Amino acid sequence: MSDRKYLVHPDRPEKIEYCKNCVAPSSSAIPLAFDEEGVCSGCRVSGQRDKVDWEDRKNRLARLLNRYRSKDGANYDCIIPVSGGKDSYFQTHVIKNIMGMNPLLVTYHGNNYTPTGLKNLRNMKEVFGVDHMFFTPSIHVLQTLNRMGMLMMGDMNWHAHCGIFTLPIRVALQFNVPLIIWGEHGFMDIGGMHSYNDFVEFTYRYRHEHLCRGYEWYDFLEAAPSYGESLEKKDLITWMYPSDEEIDRVGVRGIFISNYVPWEANVHGEMVKKEYGFLESEEPFERTYRRMSNLDDMHENGIHDYMKYIKFGYGRATDHTCKDIRAGKMTREEAIEIVRQRDHIKSKDLWRWLDYVGWTEEKFDQVADTFRDPRVWWKGQNGEWVKDNLWDE
Amino acid sequence: MQLRRLIPALFIQNGLIVRSEDFSIHQIIGNVVNEAARYNQWNVDELIYVDISRHQKYDARRDDHRISSFSSIEEIIQGISKVCFMPLTFGGGIRKIEDVDVRIRNGADKVILNTGAYETPELVEAIASKYGNQCCVISADYRMVDGSPMLFTNMGTRNTGVNVLDWIRRCETMGAGEIFLHAIDRDGKANGYDFETINRACEATRLPVIACGGAATIEDFIDVFLDTPASAIAAGNMFHFTEHSYPRAKRELKREKINVR
Ligand SMILES: [Zn+2]
C-alpha cells in the first residue's frame, strides 16, 4: 500500500527491480510483470512475435476486413484514427494500399502540434488520397483541461489520451461505420499485457482504466469549481464516450493491426520516410534520442514525459531503449548509458507549457512533487529527492 | 429446467487482475474494482475471484489513478462489493474457517478452494455446516497425465496422484455445493474446452459443474452447453479484451436456444 507518510520517512522504499533483458523498472507506469527469471512481460510477449504465423494472420485480417467493406460504395469501409505519426502512416499504408479498403481518417487535434507533426498530418491526405476529418476542441477548454489534468493526476495530457480514444468512436457512430483500425496496442507493445493469441480488441474498460486513468468528463465537470475553473457540460462533448446501447446499435468494433501484421517501429519508420515522405523532427528532443515519435503534441516528449519521471522515476528514453533492445538494435549497456543521460532532464518544453496555461515554474514544481510515487522516491539527508538507479545495480 | 450460467472468473495477483496462462504466466490486466464495475454494467450472472498471490502483498501500483490502492484482501472484497451486485465467489489462500469468515463478512457469497480442501477435508464440512453446502465451491484443478485427468494443488504445481473424478465424488460426500472444473493445460491457451472430462465429471456427481479452461470464442461456450450437461461455464481471459464480450455471448447462446438468463 502506498502511504504518503513515507515521503519524508528516512527509511527507503523497497528496491526497484529492473528487467534482466531490457531496462524496464518494476515501478513501471504501465502494467508489467516479472517472471521467475527476472525478465519482464514486455520482453516475453515481444519474443512471441517471431513464432506467430504472419501469413495466416494476414489472411484472417483480409477475411475480417471483407466483412466490413461497404457493399455499394456508399459509405466508408472503416475508420483510422490518425495523429499523422509514423504509425498512422503505416496503418493507412496497410489498410488502404495493401488491403484496398476505403478508410476515413479521423484526427483529434489537441492544439499543440509541432511544425513537423502538422506537415506530416497534412501530407497524409495527399499521399494516400483519402478523406480526412480534422477536429479541434475549443482552445479555452483545452487549456482548462491541461491545468486540471495536471492538478488532478499530474498529467496535463489527459485530454489527449481521452480525446484520441473517444472522438473516433463518436465519429464511427455518427457515420455509421462500425470498424475502427487502431495501430499497436500500446500496453501490449511496451508491457506485454496480452498474448498474441488473444487477438485483443479495443474496449471501454481499457480506455477508461488505462488510457483515461479512471477519470471521465464528468469528473472534470464536477471538480472544476474546486480548482477555480469554469467548465460546462457542453464544453466536454468531445470526451463523452457513447453508451453501450449506441455502440451495439452500430456494432462498433476496434481492432489493433499489430495482431495481424508484424509491427516493428524502426522498420516502419524507414519505410514511411522513403515511400510517403514522412518527416522526422528537425529538432532533436531532449528526453529521447528518437526523432520520429510523438510529433503531434509539442509538450508530449518534454513535459508530459518529465511528469512520468517525477512520478515513477523513469521516462521515454527507458521506453524507447526497451523497444530497441527487444528489436536487437541496442545492447543493455548502451541503453543504460542513454537512460542515465536522458531520463532526468527537465526540458525546455516546460516553459512553453507554462506560457500556454499561465503557470509559474514554482507552482508547477510544487504540484509535480505531490505526485512523486513513494514506491520510487524518498528524501535524502539534505531533503533532496532520491531514487534507485539502473546503473547502481 | 435450470438456467445455465456464464461466469467470468478473475485471477488476482498482488492486488491486480492478471491474465493467466498454464497457471504460470501472469500478465497484469488492471484494477480489480474497475473490472467488477464493468461486469456489473454487463449484468453478469455471478463473478468468481481467485487470489493467486504467492505473498500477502496487495498494491494497485499507481497513485494517480482515480481508484486508489488496497492493502489487504478484505479491502479488495469490500471495494468489489460496493460496485457489484451479483453473487460473488472468492477464493485463494483459504486454509481455515476463519479465512472463510473474513471473506463472507466482507461481502462474498461463496468461497472457492482447492489446496485447502485437499489438505484439510474437514474444512469443507465445517464450511457446509456453518454457511450451507451452496457456500462451498471446490476448484478441481487438473492436468492430463498419461491420458488421465489428475488433481493438482498448490496453484497447479503439485500432482496429488488422485484422479479428479474420484476427487469430485469425495467432495460431494464431504458437503461441497459446486465443482469448478479447471483444466490447467488449457488455461490461457484458447484451444477449446475439454469436453470429455466435463462430461465424465457431470456423470460422476449430482453437484453443479462449472467448466473452465480453453475458451477462445463464443462458439466454445455454445459447444459446451450443447455437448455437455455442465450447469455453468466460466472463462477468464477472453472476457477481458473484446468489447461487450459477455452480453454478446449471452445473446448468441439464446439464439442457439440455450437456456440462459
Ligand atoms: Zn524486459
Side-chain angles (χ1 to χ4, degrees):
Chain A
M1 182 193 177
S2 82
D3 184 340
R4 290 287 175 189
K5 80 182 180 216
Y6 285 140
L7 285 174
V8 288
H9 199 276
D11 290 338
R12 43 150 307 148
E14 222 174 295
K15 232 174 152 38
I16 299 284
E17 187 184 345
Y18 294 93
C19 173
K20 296 276 183 291
N21 182 58
C22 68
V23 292
S26 54
S27 60
S28 168
I30 55 156
L32 184 89
F34 289 90
D35 66 14
E36 269 145 32
E37 285 160 48
V39 175
C40 78
S41 43
C43 285
R44 290 295 185 217
V45 170
S46 124
Q48 286 182 346
R49 245 187 335 199
D50 307 331
K51 289 173 219 130
V52 170
D53 179 351
W54 290 110
E55 204 44 46
D56 171 63
R57 297 277 166 131
K58 197 182 160 194
N59 293 335
R60 284 172 187 248
L61 177 64
R63 222 164 52 212
L64 191 155
L65 295 179
N66 279 333
R67 277 171 45 201
Y68 288 94
R69 218 180 280 271
S70 169
K71 301 274 179 299
D72 58 359
N75 201 356
Y76 299 101
D77 297 333
C78 62
I79 283 170
I80 309 180
V82 296
S83 64
K86 64 180 187 325
D87 298 348
S88 307
Y89 274 67
F90 183 72
Q91 278 154 261
T92 313
H93 162 78
V94 170
I95 294 301
K96 164 99 198 315
N97 288 353
I98 296 184
M99 308 309 283
M101 298 279 278
N102 175 31
L104 169 64
L105 308 192
V106 176
T107 297
Y108 169 90
H109 183 340
N111 194 40
N112 293 315
Y113 267 84
T114 64
T116 313
L118 205 53
K119 268 188 223 164
N120 282 333
L121 183 63
R122 294 214 167 106
N123 179 52
M124 281 194 85
K125 65 176 284 170
E126 304 295 331
V127 291
F128 289 107
V130 288
D131 292 355
H132 184 182
M133 188 183 227
F134 199 72
F135 184 91
T136 320
S138 142
I139 290 165
H140 162 74
V141 174
L142 287 173
Q143 287 165 329
T144 306
L145 294 181
N146 262 257
R147 284 189 293 265
M148 286 184 66
M150 181 61 197
L151 290 163
M152 286 164 67
M153 64 192 101
D155 181 359
M156 59 288 301
N157 272 353
W158 177 89
H159 75 87
H161 317 315
C162 184
I164 288 162
F165 291 101
T166 306
L167 177 75
I169 291 111
R170 296 183 62 89
V171 172
L173 289 185
Q174 264 148 29
F175 281 71
N176 227 353
V177 179
L179 185 65
I180 302 178
I181 312 276
W182 302 99
E184 60 182 344
H185 188 286
F187 284 20
M188 179 168 161
D189 178 57
I190 303 182
M193 188 176 192
H194 298 281
S195 145
Y196 276 91
N197 296 329
D198 289 345
F199 290 94
V200 46
E201 298 194 359
F202 183 83
T203 63
Y204 167 78
R205 197 188 59 78
Y206 174 62
R207 169 195 166 280
H208 173 73
E209 179 179 337
H210 295 295
L211 307 168
C212 301
R213 234 173 263 124
Y215 289 92
E216 293 290 341
W217 63 272
Y218 41 81
D219 295 310
F220 280 76
L221 185 67
E222 198 185 301
S226 64
Y227 292 111
E229 302 280 3
S230 65
L231 279 177
E232 293 178 57
K233 186 173 176 184
K234 69 175 172 56
D235 296 330
L236 296 165
I237 296 169
T238 315
W239 298 275
M240 292 177 186
Y241 200 77
S243 69
D244 284 348
E245 290 71 31
E246 287 176 277
I247 300 273
D248 270 348
R249 177 176 60 77
V250 174
V252 176
R253 171 180 187 192
I255 62 164
F256 293 93
I257 54 169
S258 55
N259 281 310
Y260 300 93
V261 179
W263 191 273
E264 182 38 72
N266 287 306
V267 178
H268 300 167
E270 290 310 311
M271 187 276 284
V272 299
K273 276 198 301 199
K274 219 166 72 207
E275 303 286 321
Y276 299 106
F278 174 80
L279 304 169
E280 291 192 349
S281 175
E282 286 155 31
E283 198 190 343
F285 296 113
E286 292 156 283
R287 296 184 45 79
T288 182
Y289 57 100
R290 281 200 190 176
R291 288 200 194 188
M292 52 182 187
S293 301
N294 305 103
L295 302 171
D296 55 326
D297 190 319
M298 59 171 77
H299 302 134
E300 181 76 16
N301 275 313
I303 179 170
H304 169 262
D305 189 57
Y306 175 70
M307 279 309 298
K308 182 154 89 175
Y309 177 73
I310 293 294
K311 290 179 184 176
F312 306 107
Y314 75 102
R316 189 155 282 136
T318 293
D319 288 337
H320 284 166
T321 53
C322 284
K323 289 189 190 203
D324 283 345
I325 290 172
R326 293 170 196 160
K329 307 255 301 179
M330 187 180 279
T331 66
R332 195 165 185 274
E333 286 63 42
E334 286 165 336
I336 291 174
E337 199 41 43
I338 291 173
V339 170
R340 184 208 283 270
Q341 287 170 16
R342 301 259 188 189
D343 260 5
H344 62 281
I345 295 175
K346 193 172 184 180
S347 82
K348 63 183 192 308
D349 284 15
L350 174 60
W351 291 278
R352 216 156 39 184
W353 185 79
L354 293 174
D355 282 345
Y356 183 57
V357 299
W359 273 20
T360 62
E361 187 177 349
E362 202 185 358
K363 169 154 188 179
F364 171 82
D365 284 339
Q366 267 172 13
V367 173
D369 279 349
T370 65
F371 287 100
R372 289 193 193 251
D373 195 315
R375 298 171 192 79
V376 175
W377 295 98
W378 70 97
K379 282 216 166 157
Q381 306 234 304
N382 308 315
E384 79 284 15
W385 291 108
V386 195
K387 72 175 191 74
D388 278 328
N389 288 304
L390 185 55
W391 47 90
D392 299 330
E393 276 183 310
Chain B
M1 191 188 156
Q2 197 88 39
L3 286 177
R4 301 173 96 182
R5 292 163 293 154
L6 185 61
I7 309 171
L10 306 164
F11 298 91
I12 306 175
Q13 197 172 53
N14 304 329
L16 292 161
I17 300 286
V18 291
R19 177 191 179 280
S20 171
E21 187 166 329
D22 197 39
F23 277 36
S24 59
I25 302 169
H26 297 115
Q27 289 134 296
I28 297 169
I29 295 286
N31 186 290
V32 286
V33 176
N34 271 328
E35 189 101 10
R38 189 62 175 142
Y39 288 123
N40 192 61
Q41 289 168 351
W42 286 349
N43 212 356
V44 311
D45 295 337
E46 54 185 270
L47 276 182
I48 295 178
Y49 277 90
V50 183
D51 182 14
I52 56 167
S53 313
R54 279 173 208 280
H55 316 286
Q56 303 301 306
K57 213 181 113 193
Y58 300 95
D59 187 347
R61 282 270 279 274
R62 286 187 71 143
D63 287 339
D64 57 346
H65 248 274
R66 194 162 183 279
I67 290 183
S68 53
S69 248
F70 326 98
S71 57
S72 66
I73 196 76
E74 290 94 312
E75 279 181 34
I76 290 177
I77 304 173
Q78 284 167 14
I80 292 167
S81 343
K82 267 184 216 139
V83 298
C84 205
F85 305 101
M86 72 280 291
L88 279 181
T89 302
F90 250 89
I94 295 175
R95 295 290 188 277
K96 47 189 194 302
I97 193 76
E98 290 78 14
D99 297 332
V100 179
D101 297 337
V102 166
R103 281 151 186 80
I104 302 286
R105 201 168 51 230
N106 285 289
D109 300 284
K110 300 189 244 182
V111 292
I112 180 164
L113 57 167
N114 161 271
T115 311
Y118 182 75
E119 288 176 355
T120 326
E122 315 80 88
L123 181 56
V124 177
E125 288 159 27
I127 299 168
S129 67
K130 186 164 182 182
Y131 295 104
N133 305 62
Q134 82 292 336
C135 178
C136 183
V137 185
I138 300 293
S139 184
D141 304 347
Y142 70 96
R143 283 184 199 271
M144 297 307 290
V145 180
D146 302 325
S148 302
M150 305 306 286
L151 176 72
F152 275 67
T153 58
N154 299 81
M155 296 178 202
T157 57
R158 198 175 140 234
N159 185 349
T160 60
V162 174
N163 189 300
V164 80
L165 302 167
D166 296 333
W167 171 241
I168 289 171
R169 288 185 199 100
R170 266 175 58 199
C171 290
E172 184 175 346
T173 54
M174 291 187 304
E178 223 169 341
I179 302 296
F180 186 83
L181 185 68
H182 202 169
I184 303 170
D185 302 319
R186 288 165 190 264
D187 179 42
K189 298 284 172 59
N191 54 357
Y193 283 85
D194 174 7
F195 296 98
E196 191 187 335
T197 309
I198 297 169
N199 271 316
R200 291 175 64 195
C202 293
E203 284 161 23
T205 179
R206 283 167 304 171
L207 296 179
V209 171
I210 306 166
C212 188
T217 64
I218 294 170
E219 281 69 36
D220 290 321
F221 297 153
I222 295 173
D223 291 347
V224 174
F225 278 141
L226 291 180
D227 300 344
T228 82
S231 48
I233 300 179
N237 298 342
M238 74 161 287
F239 287 126
H240 294 308
F241 46 68
T242 23
E243 192 57 290
H244 300 176
S245 47
Y246 189 89
R248 266 174 40 211
K250 274 289 183 69
R251 274 206 297 269
E252 303 277 323
L253 290 169
K254 277 184 203 150
R255 193 172 305 153
E256 295 290 328
K257 307 260 183 301
I258 292 160
N259 194 20
V260 291
R261 191 151 64 100

